[in-house]
Amino acid sequence: MTLSLDDLLAPMTPARFFAEYHDRQPLHVRGGAAKFASALSWRQINRLLDMTHIWSGHSLQLVLDGNKVPPEQYCGRATSRDNDQVWQPEPAKVKEWVARGASLVLNDVDSLTPGLAAISAALEGAGLGKAQANVYISWQSHKAFPAHFDTHDVWAVQVEGEKTWNIWEGRADWPIPHPAFRAMGQAQHEQAKGRLREKVLLKAGDLLYLPRGWYHDALAEAPASVHVAYGVHAVHGVDLMNILLDRAVRDLEFRKPLPRQDGSAAARFALTARAGQLGQRLAEFCREPQVMAVLEQFVAGYRYQRGGNDLLAARGLAAPAAAGAEEGEAAVFRVLAGGAKPVRRGADWVLKTAAGAVPLSPPEAEAAGWILGRPDVAEGELRAAHPAVDAAALLGRLREAGLLVAA
């Protein structure tokens, strides 16, 4: 699966985004429910959570009304795949906290599904920086986090339900992941966030871009909300200092001792002069072709490495076809028109859609009602529940009518 920045921003163009919004102001892009349907679904969330050993008290966090739940209250002690002792989430305890309204935060998920990885690759492919993703699952009227800013750009993709974001006028001045910015108390944030700039209601398929440092908070409006927050970390000026440090180590002047200090004015003057000389040397380093080549390569390659595994190809062997692929058994479809129902017209049944009416036989009408009452459906499930219906044909017609989309 391949996506580009054009796909994420549509109908806005990347040219307009970079001219008017990037690192300047927030942006809300409305999209249809199908736009990010392949990124994540409830089915995929449950499947990921069932991969017990990839989760810990760090990678899966619970937050209730602004307070983090201590790992020992929803985890048990277990041995990790690396034979380390970790806090591992226990489903029964997680369910208890969810019943009380606790939000779930699934950290570092940007490579766990093809859809999540495709969005990460689109952001990184546009040269925006490293894209790391967290999933936020929240419930109506329960706010996970108070007003805050992030030390990276935020690209929030709404995949389920609705969520209202409060965008405040305040913006921190290009914060970075450093204790100087992470040690601020909530009282400081409340004072610095300023007045409310706007309220943005994100619906499934919408995207919200927030420049680094912009104050925000959010609250679920639907009974359940899922959004994926991509934290996009750009290269900073501080990163250049690391390259210059490597260059300075190879320079004789930086290996010499600084002037000894004895408290005299002459000693202080010598130290000041020496610091100025070294600063000038750093400026000279920045003009060296070798240093600039290292910097250019660092910026161009500033992205995470994902995928690329094909063990059979490495041996010159062809991959076998996926089991059931010919019959479409592996396909899962997201339902875009939840609540829609077939209606009877005399002896016939139809399903009304924006594109027109879909005629249905009585068995198909029953099956269509069953499908549209679910968040998603797999062909095998439909075949098992309604064996009298041609599952592939019905799913295809509902998909053509815009009621389903491949997940």
Side-chain angles (χ1 to χ4, degrees), residues 320-380:
E326 294 81 0
E327 295 82 18
E329 292 178 0
V332 176
F333 298 91
R334 292 278 296 277
V335 175
L336 303 181
K341 295 181 180 179
V343 295
R344 190 167 187 170
R345 288 182 178 174
D348 300 321
W349 289 84
V350 298
L351 189 60
K352 294 181 179 179
T353 73
V358 179
L360 302 169
S361 67
E364 288 176 336
E366 182 180 355
W370 179 82
I371 293 170
L372 297 175
R374 300 162 56 89
D376 56 34
V377 62
E379 184 178 328

Side-chain angles (χ1 to χ4, degrees), residues 246-266:
D246 289 340
R247 175 64 181 86
V249 168
R250 295 183 283 108
D251 186 83
L252 177 65
E253 295 303 318
F254 279 89
R255 299 202 302 270
K256 291 180 180 178
L258 296 174
R260 183 180 64 85
Q261 295 299 288
D262 57 11
S264 66

Side-chain angles (χ1 to χ4, degrees), residues 213-253:
W214 210 288
Y215 273 97
H216 61 278
D217 59 77
L219 181 65
E221 295 292 347
S225 167
V226 180
H227 81 269
V228 186
Y230 287 86
V232 181
H233 302 255
V235 179
H236 306 143
V238 174
D239 295 308
L240 171 60
M241 297 303 297
N242 294 326
I243 295 175
L244 293 178
L245 176 61
D246 289 340
R247 175 64 181 86
V249 168
R250 295 183 283 108
D251 186 83
L252 177 65
E253 295 303 318

Side-chain angles (χ1 to χ4, degrees), residues 235 239-240 242-244 246-247 250 288-301:
V235 179
D239 295 308
L240 171 60
N242 294 326
I243 295 175
L244 293 178
D246 289 340
R247 175 64 181 86
R250 295 183 283 108
E288 291 181 358
Q290 300 92 330
V291 172
M292 287 307 303
V294 172
L295 178 61
E296 290 171 5
Q297 184 177 14
F298 180 77
V299 174

